[in-house]
Amino acid sequence: MTNYARSEREQLADLLAGAGPDAPTLCEGWTTRDLAAHIVVRERRPDSALGILIKPLAGRGERVRLARAALPYQELIGQLRNPPVWSPISNPLVDPLTNTMEMFIHHEDVRRGDGQWEPRTLDRGLETTLYRNLKLIVRGSLARLRISAEVEATGFPPIRVGDHPAARITGDAGELAVFFFGRQRAARVAIDGAPEVAERLRTARLGV
């Protein structure tokens, strides 16, 4: 079975290396160097992630990331390319579960950062993996927004939230993943519904 987390990681590392440290990404305010440091810290310094849950520790997490970003760029890319086997989120046992969506989204963050991009043609296996992840993310996001909707990824059964959908959101699985991870402006999806509902969906803070 293909390890899509590994293949997306390798493609992301190659893209980061080719783009250089100062290229834009879809992550607001972050260059390619910043994004690479984020991924490396996520895997090698899990203690720094406490700031996501405990707001007083957020500054410490950012200091850890900035310190890692100060490394020579190629060294940083090397660390991203070769995650530690002891990491709770990138060891071989859990890597496909914890990193396929993470690497796919950050790969697209770099691909689409300068606005000059076209959607990739994805392997069916990767699309299936993204769709499985989407089912949880879509339900959580729409429930949080209190929007009833039907989400249809091309070639897969619809994901329905609520009894009376106020909108229908369609697109390929990869585009819907980009959309529901908060990159709506860079995702090619269609929203059929009342204008005010569509606007809420396109401007909401989505993602995890």
Side-chain angles (χ1 to χ4, degrees):
M1 188 185 335
T2 302
N3 183 339
Y4 292 106
R6 168 53 63 180
S7 61
E8 287 294 306
R9 180 189 297 273
E10 291 174 351
Q11 292 178 72
L12 171 58
D14 289 344
L15 187 58
L16 285 166
D22 301 315
T25 74
L26 292 183
C27 299
E28 187 175 353
W30 278 8
T31 64
T32 39
R33 178 188 292 279
D34 293 311
L35 181 56
H38 158 74
I39 297 170
V40 169
V41 165
R42 171 180 173 270
E43 296 177 329
R44 294 171 183 261
R45 289 292 305 274
D47 59 301
S48 69
L50 290 174
I52 298 174
L53 300 174
I54 306 172
K55 293 303 180 184
L57 298 180
R60 178 176 176 274
E62 180 63 3
R63 287 193 295 273
V64 171
R65 191 192 66 79
L66 290 173
R68 190 69 58 152
L71 290 174
Y73 187 62
Q74 290 306 317
E75 181 179 344
L76 193 60
I77 300 305
Q79 291 185 5
L80 184 154
R81 199 183 292 274
N82 298 290
V85 296
W86 51 260
S87 173
I89 58 173
S90 61
N91 67 73
L93 292 176
V94 303
D95 187 44
L97 294 174
T98 57
N99 284 319
T100 299
M101 186 67 86
E102 179 82 7
M103 296 302 155
F104 173 81
I105 292 297
H106 288 321
H107 187 180
E108 295 302 319
D109 283 336
V110 179
R111 286 189 70 249
R112 305 179 189 213
D114 64 357
Q116 305 297 315
W117 58 275
E118 289 294 328
R120 286 186 283 159
T121 300
L122 302 181
D123 180 284
R124 178 66 176 182
L126 176 55
E127 283 195 314
T128 300
T129 301
L130 297 177
Y131 173 75
R132 288 172 182 159
N133 281 271
L134 268 173
K135 287 191 286 186
L136 291 175
I137 296 160
V138 164
R139 288 174 180 142
S141 296
L142 293 178
R144 191 168 63 249
L145 293 173
R146 298 182 180 179
I147 292 177
S148 176
E150 185 174 83
V151 178
E152 186 172 346
T154 307
F156 294 95
I159 304 165
R160 189 162 181 165
V161 178
D163 295 329
H164 304 287
R168 183 168 178 264
I169 310 165
T170 58
D172 292 339
E175 296 304 304
L176 288 168
V178 172
F179 185 92
F180 278 97
F181 267 81
R183 283 76 168 169
Q184 296 100 307
R185 63 183 174 83
R188 291 187 183 172
V189 306
I191 303 176
D192 183 18
E196 61 272 18
V197 174
E199 180 65 15
R200 280 189 67 202
L201 287 165
R202 291 196 180 278
T203 58
R205 292 180 62 86
L206 299 177
V208 293

